[in-house]
Amino acid sequence: MDNTTTKEQKLQRLIELEKKLGEIQDVDVLLERILTETREIIHADAGSIYVVEGSNLRIKYAQNDTSLKELALGEKLPYTAFTFPMNQKSIAGYVAYSGKPLNIDDAYHIPDECPYKFNKETDATTNYRTKSIFTLPLKMANGRLLGILQVINARNQNRDVIRFDSDAELYVTHFAASAAQALEHTYLTSSMVRRMLKMAEFRDPKETYPHVSRVSEFSEEIYDRLAFKNNIPDAEKHKFRDSLKIAAKFHDVGKVGISDVILKKVSPRFTEKERRIMQGHTCIGANLFEPCDSSLDEMCRDVALHHHDRWDGGEKAYPGKYDYTKFTIGQPVLRAEPLKGQDIPLAARIVAVADVFDALSHKRCYKEAWTLEDAFREIQNESGKHFDPEVVAAFMQVKDRICAIFLAYPDKDDTPAE
């Protein structure tokens, strides 16, 4: 195969990828996909993607094939979360500050006159050798900086590390321009989601954005492990996890329709009628997504409606097989036939575990935060009762990443137990 054919095939693949990027709805899923696909196109061993947070850059995803090969099949690299100033001292900061791409042949031999330096500490910690680096900004059409894409260690057919040549620069720059358009769309979707969730937070202070972010991230990690274990095809996996990241955030959005008298009641405990009125938040949430015009709407409805149903169909579960379309706001949820086992939608079974773990491990007006170990133990104890055993097994297998996410999204006014 000659070089021209290879270029034509890569450009054709870029066009196909651009179409797929436009179908992704969640901004985090899109960022991860951009990094993965960019690296694959130009055979980069590693890479990172950063997002803008005020005057700082936050690392969102980091990938490294060499390090990944040292892990067991299906495991991920440690969850990474840190921020640094958007100035000229770091490579990513310099690109953000200047707005221009930067191609470095050897990170360990950057000329002294350059304002940016490469931090070798990460390499020393992971026993890795960063050499070639190509970094470029991701911008909206109006010039607003969305993030920074960085690919590391280009490799040739013999797996030798080489510089990122002009062809690699062309592919990445072209792809990044298209990716930025898709990012702009998902950022608009993300902003709308945040506004809706902010409305829920105004009504119920427990429904903070850090809380729904943690539940969303936990849910994604659980599903990724399930998908690996069950050999879910990539196309199906990408579509499901994209919707799940958003749907998980809406699990308690129905609380906007619950009276403050009940929603913010601390003591005495709920009467039976008040409890059933409170349970109506599941039906209110489901109705917010009616009529369902997409698979995302359907998953949001299922999660809102069924994340309090139990695997064993126990009497504490709700609302069960209840006709939520006939629910009247302010009225109690009537008893219905239980919904149990695999009849509960998978997304709801996953979010149930994520939501309960987060509620246990954080302080609420009616309780203190549990320790992480106690929260993990409770989830495991409820396997086969409250929760789907397979979902719990997946959750426990990603315990380290769950703990990292827990630390990455702290509540502003809450100091969880150690």
Side-chain angles (χ1 to χ4, degrees):
M1 184 182 297
D2 61 34
N3 194 44
T4 303
T5 304
T6 303
K7 287 183 179 180
E8 289 176 351
Q9 288 182 337
K10 285 187 175 181
L11 289 171
Q12 181 60 39
R13 186 169 175 219
L14 283 174
I15 293 170
E16 293 171 358
L17 283 172
E18 288 162 11
K19 294 178 182 178
K20 291 181 181 179
L21 292 184
E23 297 171 358
I24 297 175
Q25 302 160 104
D26 180 77
V27 65
D28 290 345
V29 171
L30 178 59
L31 287 168
E32 185 179 20
R33 190 74 178 274
I34 288 170
L35 179 58
T36 301
E37 300 294 354
T38 303
R39 288 179 49 242
E40 191 168 330
I41 290 168
I42 58 173
H43 307 297
D45 184 61
S48 301
I49 201 157
Y50 307 87
V51 293
V52 178
E53 288 190 354
S55 59
N56 292 327
L57 289 175
R58 172 185 286 274
I59 189 166
K60 198 64 184 177
Y61 292 102
Q63 300 174 352
N64 188 310
D65 286 348
T66 296
S67 299
L68 193 62
K69 289 175 182 176
E70 298 175 2
L71 303 177
L73 205 59
E75 289 188 6
K76 296 182 179 181
L77 296 173
Y79 188 92
T80 306
F82 62 85
T83 61
F84 55 94
M86 193 160 42
N87 57 37
Q88 300 186 66
K89 294 182 179 180
S90 66
I91 295 171
Y94 177 83
V95 170
Y97 188 84
S98 67
K100 298 177 182 179
L102 184 62
N103 194 348
I104 296 172
D105 290 350
D106 191 337
Y108 286 24
H109 294 92
I110 295 173
D112 292 338
E113 61 268 21
C114 293
Y116 50 85
K117 303 297 178 187
F118 176 73
N119 187 344
K120 299 179 183 178
E121 290 182 9
T122 302
D123 276 8
T125 302
T126 59
N127 196 29
Y128 189 73
R129 170 59 161 100
T130 299
K131 194 170 184 182
S132 55
I133 305 177
F134 184 51
T135 312
L136 75 164
L138 298 171
K139 298 179 181 179
M140 284 187 179
N142 63 6
R144 176 192 166 194
L145 182 67
L146 296 175
I148 299 295
L149 173 64
Q150 187 172 82
V151 284
I152 297 169
N153 285 357
R155 292 190 181 274
N156 60 20
Q157 293 180 339
N158 297 322
R159 301 292 297 164
D160 299 320
V161 176
I162 59 174
R163 71 182 302 274
F164 289 98
D165 59 21
S166 58
D167 284 346
E169 288 191 23
L170 174 65
Y171 297 138
V172 176
T173 303
H174 177 86
F175 186 55
S178 299
Q181 292 179 18
L183 269 174
E184 187 167 356
H185 172 72
T186 57
Y187 266 104
L188 292 174
T189 301
S190 178
S191 294
M192 186 58 67
V193 168
R194 286 188 73 114
R195 290 186 184 104
M196 290 181 68
L197 293 171
K198 194 69 176 178
M199 178 176 64
E201 185 178 346
F202 286 152
R203 296 297 326 286
D204 184 2
K206 297 191 300 295
E207 295 307 305
T208 63
Y209 200 76
H211 163 67
V212 297
S213 295
R214 289 189 300 266
V215 171
S216 176
E217 297 274 347
F218 293 160
S219 298
E220 181 186 35
E221 294 296 337
I222 295 169
Y223 176 72
D224 282 349
R225 191 66 194 181
L226 282 172
F228 167 76
K229 183 179 178 182
N230 293 299
N231 296 312
I232 302 298
D234 282 348
E236 180 182 342
K237 179 179 73 174
H238 289 317
K239 184 175 181 180
F240 191 97
R241 74 199 297 267
D242 180 29
S243 294
L244 181 62
K245 282 278 290 191
I246 296 174
K249 292 178 180 178
F250 285 120
H251 64 280
D252 273 341
V253 71
K255 289 182 178 179
V256 296
I258 302 298
S259 164
D260 279 353
V261 174
I262 294 175
L263 188 63
K264 298 180 180 180
K265 184 176 182 179
V266 178
S267 63
R269 299 181 65 178
F270 286 146
T271 65
E272 181 61 22
K273 182 179 180 180
E274 288 172 335
R275 181 177 293 103
R276 292 203 168 273
I277 291 174
M278 183 66 176
Q279 291 173 358
H281 79 273
T282 57
C283 299
I284 298 169
N287 276 303
L288 287 173
F289 298 99
E290 287 289 348
C292 292
D293 296 322
S294 66
S295 58
L296 174 60
D297 284 347
E298 291 174 358
M299 189 181 289
C300 289
R301 176 202 62 196
D302 289 345
V303 167
L305 185 61
H306 292 302
H307 70 286
H308 286 294
D309 279 305
R310 292 173 55 102
W311 178 258
D312 63 3
E315 62 179 22
K316 292 183 179 180
Y318 62 91
K321 298 179 182 180
Y322 184 83
D323 187 354
Y324 65 92
T325 63
K326 296 180 180 178
F327 176 76
T328 301
I329 293 179
Q331 294 300 309
V333 170
L334 302 178
R335 291 189 180 276
E337 181 183 348
L339 190 70
K340 58 184 179 179
Q342 294 189 354
D343 288 339
I344 303 170
L346 175 59
R349 282 181 267 148
I350 291 172
V351 172
V353 171
D355 183 38
V356 171
F357 176 80
D358 196 68
L360 291 175
S361 56
H362 284 82
K363 183 178 179 180
R364 295 289 182 260
C365 59
Y366 51 86
K367 72 167 193 67
E368 293 299 317
W370 290 27
T371 66
L372 287 181
E373 282 306 315
D374 284 345
F376 277 115
R377 190 176 299 112
E378 178 66 11
I379 296 296
Q380 203 160 25
N381 289 342
E382 287 296 313
S383 176
K385 293 178 282 187
H386 191 165
F387 307 121
D388 177 348
E390 190 177 12
V391 172
V392 172
F395 175 76
M396 296 304 295
Q397 287 166 7
V398 295
K399 185 175 178 180
D400 288 348
R401 294 182 68 83
I402 296 296
C403 291
I405 293 166
F406 172 90
L407 295 173
Y409 293 91
D411 286 342
K412 293 179 180 178
D413 57 349
D414 184 30
T415 304
E418 295 295 331

